[in-house]
Amino acid sequence: MRAEPEGTKGQLARSEVALRSSTPEDRPRSRAILESVGWVGAPSEHRAWPEADADWQARRYVREIVAEVDGVIAGRVALEAYRPPFAELCGLSVRPDYRKRGLGRMLTRAVEQEAARRGFPFLFLQTALDNRAGHSLYTDMGYYPATRAEMLRMVKFLDYPLLSDFRRQRPLHQYAGQPVAGRERAWAMTWRDYLTEDALRLELEGGSSEFDSDGIGPALTACEWRVGSGARGLSLRIQPEAVRDIEPGHHVALEITVANLGRRMESGVFQMIVPPGVRVSSPATNIEQVFAWEAAPGETITQPLVTQIEPSFEAGALWYLNYRSLPISVETHWEGHRALLSACLPMAVPPPLT
């Protein structure tokens, strides 16, 4: 077969196909192809969430979006996006005389697009328990109710393949949310297949709003995945040590655990994703960057880690935010599947220098 030159266009079932060399922008999608057919090789190092650009930092990591109709500011919403994985949709408001025109939906979609563009896989909001119009809008747009107290917290998964694949492959799935027994500020979000025992359960930690979250932002700390009517299953968790008022220069211990709940051997890797100014190392070697695991049926694997907040880390930016905590994340990869978990480190926040 003769090799086609770069840039060649062809036809495949009436669809135009272009063959060319990949660019850096193509790499995330090409990597996803590898993952879709089975894990091929482990990552070689920790990843860092990208730093917010200067424009976002100057606005203290908050952006307001407005809807203008015939010269009138008829609606507004804000996006608070400090560090992935969670961004917050704040204060969606539409003037009463401009409601029922789709402005709320347009503003919500604009926030989602901006959050996704900046690499945030999760978006959350808080709303009043009696805000039925808001509940209808948000559920229709794919938000799930989670923690409930004086307010209601809702979450949308902008980029979470483990959940989107589960839902797509099981069209009769049902969702339920309930408190985790014996755990304060922990909520179980469960999608269960109506016809089988297959289920995906995520644990969301944090209060129902900024007012009852004790200064700690929402975190997705655990995942339980069961498919094939019990043939395969994993339980994953990230747990930081119980410590508060963390300052630059401090070290914080964490544990990542994976338990094999199925009937076959499972293997994969842990890969930490940290914000700028944070370093993660293995306490055993102080060199390891990515941690491979293999678990037999019924076996639990624990990986201890140490997180160091670099002395140069600037904590003053947290002064302006609703949640004065520093999120860190871990991705677990196994045979074409990928789950992201997170934890929030409560920081001692000094007043800003300016």
Side-chain angles (χ1 to χ4, degrees):
M1 178 181 293
R2 182 171 58 88
E4 297 285 354
E6 289 195 8
T8 296
K9 293 184 178 179
Q11 293 289 330
L12 181 64
R14 296 185 179 181
S15 297
E16 188 174 86
V17 179
L19 302 180
R20 58 175 175 77
S21 298
S22 66
T23 66
E25 289 73 22
D26 296 324
R27 309 256 165 82
R29 288 181 291 180
S30 61
R31 183 184 180 92
I33 295 172
L34 290 175
E35 294 178 354
S36 72
V37 298
W39 180 252
V40 181
S44 60
E45 58 185 13
H46 298 313
R47 290 195 285 122
W49 292 118
E51 174 64 279
D53 59 42
D55 179 58
W56 270 82
Q57 293 183 47
R59 288 165 173 76
R60 301 171 184 173
Y61 299 93
V62 176
R63 175 66 54 80
E64 182 183 52
I65 301 172
V66 299
E68 185 174 351
V69 180
D70 298 328
V72 176
I73 301 299
R76 59 85 62 189
V77 69
L79 172 67
E80 182 173 292
Y82 172 61
R83 295 279 189 263
F86 279 97
E88 182 177 10
L89 184 156
C90 307
L92 175 63
S93 305
V94 177
R95 289 169 55 114
D97 47 335
Y98 283 87
R99 292 176 183 169
K100 298 185 179 180
R101 300 189 188 184
L103 293 181
R105 183 177 297 270
M106 292 171 58
L107 288 164
T108 301
R109 184 68 66 199
V111 163
E112 293 173 358
Q113 292 172 347
E114 184 67 16
R117 187 175 73 84
R118 295 185 174 275
F120 286 81
F122 312 135
L123 187 63
F124 75 98
L125 58 88
Q126 62 188 43
T127 184
L129 297 177
D130 60 354
N131 182 10
R132 297 192 177 187
H135 301 165
S136 178
L137 169 67
Y138 297 133
T139 54
D140 187 55
M141 296 187 70
Y143 291 78
Y144 291 99
T147 310
R148 182 184 69 246
E150 294 184 3
M151 302 286 286
L152 172 67
R153 174 163 289 164
M154 304 185 75
V155 177
K156 183 166 185 176
F157 297 84
L158 302 175
D159 180 21
Y160 206 61
L162 190 68
L163 174 59
S164 57
D165 290 347
F166 184 92
R167 294 172 58 221
R168 183 181 63 255
Q169 296 166 6
R170 297 161 182 82
L172 293 182
H173 70 271
Q174 298 174 325
Y175 170 75
Q178 61 183 14
V180 177
R183 300 264 305 282
E184 187 179 8
R185 302 188 186 93
W187 202 264
M189 306 177 70
T190 305
W191 294 262
R192 190 176 303 278
D193 185 11
Y194 182 76
L195 298 179
T196 70
E197 298 176 4
D198 294 355
L200 178 63
R201 179 179 184 268
L202 304 175
E203 285 190 14
L204 179 72
E205 292 194 4
S208 66
S209 70
E210 62 186 276
F211 306 109
D212 63 356
S213 294
D214 199 22
I216 302 176
L220 203 63
T221 56
C223 169
E224 186 175 299
W225 172 79
R226 296 176 184 265
V227 298
S229 299
R232 302 184 68 187
L234 289 177
S235 174
L236 308 162
R237 182 175 297 277
I238 180 173
Q239 181 65 52
E241 66 174 305
V243 61
R244 297 191 63 86
D245 296 330
I246 302 167
E247 297 182 357
H250 285 183
H251 292 74
V252 181
L254 300 99
E255 281 190 350
I256 306 171
T257 59
V258 56
N260 188 343
L261 308 177
R263 299 190 293 269
R264 50 158 284 184
M265 182 74 71
E266 300 284 355
S267 61
V269 294
F270 299 128
Q271 183 180 22
M272 297 300 297
I273 315 176
V274 296
V278 177
R279 184 167 60 87
V280 181
S281 60
S282 164
T285 66
N286 206 37
I287 296 175
E288 273 191 272
Q289 296 181 305
V290 173
F291 313 97
W293 57 265
E294 185 176 63
E299 185 178 8
T300 297
I301 305 296
T302 299
Q303 174 64 59
L305 297 170
V306 174
T307 300
Q308 180 181 2
I309 312 301
E310 299 285 9
S312 60
F313 179 80
E314 176 52 61
L318 294 166
W319 175 270
Y320 302 108
L321 303 177
N322 291 335
Y323 302 93
R324 299 175 182 180
S325 54
L326 183 64
I328 60 173
S329 302
V330 60
E331 274 189 338
T332 305
H333 302 256
W334 72 100
E335 293 190 23
H337 300 288
R338 174 165 52 95
L340 176 69
L341 300 179
S342 63
C344 277
L345 307 182
M347 301 289 292
V349 181
L353 298 177
T354 56

